[in-house]
Structures are given as C-alpha cells and as structure tokens.
C-alpha cells in the first residue's frame, strides 16, 4: 500500500494512516498511560474505527491524524493531526498529537504542532487554529504555550457518556 506523505519536519515524516498501521495504532491507543487524558483506552474495534474515521477525513479534507515516522529509521513514534473540529457550535481547525510513551519528552509533539501550525497558516490560509486540552494535561499545555497559543475559553466534551472539561488554546495568524 502506498504511504502518502503529508508533511515533513526536521526529524519526522507525517503520512496518511493506512490499514497496515493497525498494530502500531493499537500500541498507542491501547496504552493506558498514553490515553490518560481520554480516560479510556481503545478496543480493537475502536482502533479500526479510528483508521476508518481518518481515511474519511483524508477523502473530505486531506486532513486528519497522520502517522509520525522517524525519517531515519521509519519507526512510528506517534500521530499528529490537523483537522476540522466544532466546539460550542463554532467551526475550528484543531491540532492534536498522541505519541508512544517511549517517545515522550523528545520534542516531537512541539515539532509536529509547529509544522502543522505553519501548514494551516501558509497553505490553508487559516486565520486561527486551536488545541483542545484537558486542564490536567500539562505537557500538552506546554506544547501549546510554546507555540504562543493562549487560553480563549473552555468547553465540556462528551466522551463516551462522560462530561470532560477541555481548555481551548488558540493561535491567531496575525499575533
């Protein structure tokens, strides 16, 4: 299966998810520590739904979660996303990331988020992007703040019947 490259950073290549990524996605999405902010880990069916959802996002928008591969050895280190989102009935474009635990604190989330921010502003000509972050997810807050994102509000997201507060961090193109 052809691996479509979406974007490259200094160390990583972001490419479309393909069906053959199922086992690597399982390793990420079924790790309790990695999924702590979501407060659940995915079942095998959830992982397949994740793949299908992203394939649909690629078809509709050429956006979604992308596999983050190390350019040197092609190891999958995680995922990073740029995709449409709706918060409080307002349309936005959101940046997100989920990395394997062994690749935390290596700067990959910041590197991907910066590249996706630049893509959003330069290629898609967007004026703002957001991060949806749980208040206790300090590493993600640090990534957003490192890119000059500021808290612009919060909202309650219903995740599997559980109401979860999320902070909205916003980056405006002209600030």
């Amino acid at each position: 299966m052809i691996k479509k490259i979406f974007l490259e950073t200094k160390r990583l290549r972001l490419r479309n998810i393909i069906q053959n990524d199922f086992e690597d996605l399982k390793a990420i999405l079924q790790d309790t520590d990695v999924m702590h902010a979501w407060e659940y880990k995915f079942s095998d069916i959830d992982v397949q739904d994740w793949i299908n959802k992203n394939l649909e996002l690629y078809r509709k928008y050429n956006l979604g979660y992308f596999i983050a591969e190390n350019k040197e050895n092609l190891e999958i280190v995680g995922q990073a996303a740029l995709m449409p989102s709706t918060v409080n009935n307002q349309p936005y474009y959101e940046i997100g990331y989920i990395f394997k635990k062994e690749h935390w604190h290596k700067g990959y989330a910041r590197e991907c988020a910066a590249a996706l921010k630049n893509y959003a502003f330069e290629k898609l000509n967007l004026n703002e992007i957001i991060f949806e972050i749980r208040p206790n997810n300090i590493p993600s807050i640090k990534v957003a703040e490192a890119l000059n994102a500021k808290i612009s509000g919060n909202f309650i997201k219903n995740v599997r019947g559980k109401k979860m507060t999320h902070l909205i961090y916003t980056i405006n193109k002209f600030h």
Side-chain angles (χ1 to χ4, degrees):
M1 198 165 230
I2 297 174
K3 295 180 179 179
K4 183 179 175 199
I5 305 302
F6 177 74
L7 192 62
E8 291 195 22
T9 69
K10 181 179 177 184
R11 299 178 292 166
L12 301 174
R13 178 169 43 213
L14 299 182
R15 65 163 175 82
N16 287 19
I17 291 170
I18 58 173
Q19 186 60 48
N20 290 352
D21 294 322
F22 184 87
E23 292 300 321
D24 281 296
L25 288 169
K26 260 180 71 163
I28 298 166
L29 299 171
Q30 293 183 353
D31 183 313
T32 305
D33 291 334
V34 170
M35 301 304 290
H36 74 279
W38 295 55
E39 295 187 19
Y40 74 93
K41 62 182 187 173
F42 283 43
S43 68
D44 286 1
I45 292 169
D46 294 331
V47 173
Q48 186 58 54
D49 288 347
W50 183 264
I51 292 170
N52 295 342
K53 174 186 171 188
N54 282 289
L55 294 176
E56 183 62 26
L57 285 167
Y58 303 152
R59 278 191 287 280
K60 280 186 175 179
Y61 307 104
N62 194 35
L63 298 172
Y65 266 92
F66 300 97
I67 293 291
E69 291 179 327
N70 181 306
K71 283 165 60 169
E72 286 185 15
N73 60 17
L74 301 183
E75 177 187 5
I76 293 175
V77 299
Q79 307 174 72
L82 175 62
M83 60 190 181
S85 183
T86 303
V87 177
N88 297 331
N89 297 316
Q90 289 286 115
Y92 292 98
Y93 282 81
E94 169 194 3
I95 289 178
Y97 32 82
I98 309 170
F99 286 90
K100 291 180 177 178
K101 190 170 31 185
E102 62 266 27
H103 296 292
W104 287 1
H105 310 295
K106 294 182 179 181
Y108 289 145
R110 183 176 177 178
E111 184 175 324
C112 287
L116 290 166
K117 175 189 90 159
N118 292 339
Y119 184 90
F121 292 155
E122 295 167 13
K123 302 286 190 211
L124 299 180
N125 204 28
L126 299 176
N127 290 323
E128 76 175 11
I129 51 174
I130 67 166
F131 298 80
E132 300 175 14
I133 304 174
R134 297 291 305 279
N136 62 348
N137 190 342
I138 304 306
S140 283
I141 289 171
K142 287 181 179 179
V143 168
E145 289 177 346
L147 297 176
N148 297 315
K150 307 284 185 234
I151 293 178
S152 59
N154 63 58
F155 71 105
I156 304 295
K157 187 179 220 175
N158 190 330
V159 180
R160 295 184 165 221
K162 187 172 189 173
K163 294 182 185 327
M164 299 177 150
T165 299
H166 284 69
L167 302 173
I168 303 168
Y169 276 79
T170 304
I171 304 174
N172 291 301
K173 182 177 186 175
F174 301 108
H175 288 108

